[in-house]
């Protein structure tokens, strides 16, 4: 009798959910920054996903994507961030004790929504704005609210597919 062993190179839960967040980021039409988020419950079930983009019913061809200039002519006052979209996209389920996987560390505004929604852990891929007031405020609020945050540690595996 031949005993067949399970595969050894399967994705960890962190790799899987960060992969879903990364794939979600590819839906973003933002020419400079694409961010994705995936929210999962403690049983490793996906509750919701989101990416950064214009609000529903706001045509992304009619709104600006600029990063500089008059605030009303830049993306910053219009774009919904991935984490907020993932929270708002949740259809009726509780986010209490959930984990948010995100490709970019949340800003202070998303941190407020994360805390208020009951999410208790954030796993992030990049913290490239760590020294900005927005990120420092987010970390301060997470610390006060006992929301755990940790960087994702890539294993070096490659995920690829052709469309």
């Amino acid at each position: 009798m031949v005993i067949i062993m399970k595969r050894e190179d399967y994705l960890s839960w962190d790799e899987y959910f960060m992969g879903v967040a990364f794939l979600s980021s590819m839906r973003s039409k933002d020419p400079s920054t694409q961010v994705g988020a995936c929210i999962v419950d403690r049983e490793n079930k996906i509750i919701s996903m989101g990416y950064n983009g214009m609000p529903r019913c706001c045509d992304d061809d009619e709104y600006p994507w600029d990063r500089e200039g008059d605030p009303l002519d830049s993306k910053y006052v219009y774009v919904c961030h991935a984490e907020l979209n993932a929270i708002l996209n949740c259809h009726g389920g509780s986010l209490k004790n959930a984990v948010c996987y995100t490709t970019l560390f949340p800003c202070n505004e998303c941190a407020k929504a994360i805390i208020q929604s009951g999410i208790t852990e954030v796993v992030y891929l990049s913290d490239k704005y760590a020294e900005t007031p927005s990120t420092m405020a987010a970390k301060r609020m997470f610390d006060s609210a006992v929301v755990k945050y940790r960087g994702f540690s890539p294993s070096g595996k490659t995920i690829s597919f052709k469309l």
Side-chain angles (χ1 to χ4, degrees):
M1 181 164 126
V2 176
I3 297 174
I4 299 174
M5 303 299 289
K6 70 178 182 181
R7 285 180 49 223
E8 297 287 330
D9 62 343
Y10 58 90
L11 295 175
S12 70
W13 286 118
D14 275 359
E15 291 167 331
Y16 177 65
F17 297 130
M18 190 58 75
V20 171
F22 184 79
L23 191 60
S24 294
S25 76
M26 296 176 77
R27 281 285 307 144
S28 174
K29 296 175 184 85
D30 190 321
S32 60
T33 307
Q34 300 81 45
V35 181
C38 176
I39 301 174
V40 301
D41 67 16
R42 292 295 174 170
E43 294 178 352
N44 292 318
K45 295 177 185 164
I46 294 174
I47 301 171
S48 188
M49 295 172 283
Y51 56 89
N52 60 316
M54 295 299 168
R56 185 173 287 146
C57 301
C58 294
D59 187 338
D60 50 37
D61 289 324
E62 295 179 16
Y63 282 84
W65 290 102
D66 295 322
R67 296 175 67 178
E68 297 176 11
D70 183 318
L72 293 177
D73 293 327
S74 77
K75 67 180 182 175
Y76 296 111
V77 295
Y78 303 108
V79 170
C80 289
H81 289 182
E83 302 88 347
L84 180 60
N85 268 330
I87 290 167
L88 296 173
N89 287 340
C90 183
H91 293 289
S94 173
L95 298 179
K96 186 173 182 176
N97 297 316
V99 180
C100 179
Y101 288 82
T102 182
T103 59
L104 183 61
F105 196 93
C107 72
N108 62 303
E109 293 299 322
C110 288
K112 294 177 205 176
I114 287 167
I115 293 165
Q116 290 296 87
S117 70
I119 293 169
T120 55
E121 185 176 0
V122 173
V123 182
Y124 60 91
L125 181 61
S126 171
D127 193 10
K128 70 179 180 178
Y129 299 114
E131 302 303 316
T132 64
S134 175
T135 300
M136 290 189 286
K139 289 177 181 176
R140 181 178 178 184
M141 288 186 283
F142 285 158
D143 290 341
S144 293
V146 195
V147 172
K148 193 168 113 179
Y149 52 93
R150 62 183 170 88
F152 171 73
S153 298
S155 65
K157 290 179 186 161
T158 300
I159 301 170
S160 64
F161 59 94
K162 200 176 232 180
L163 297 175

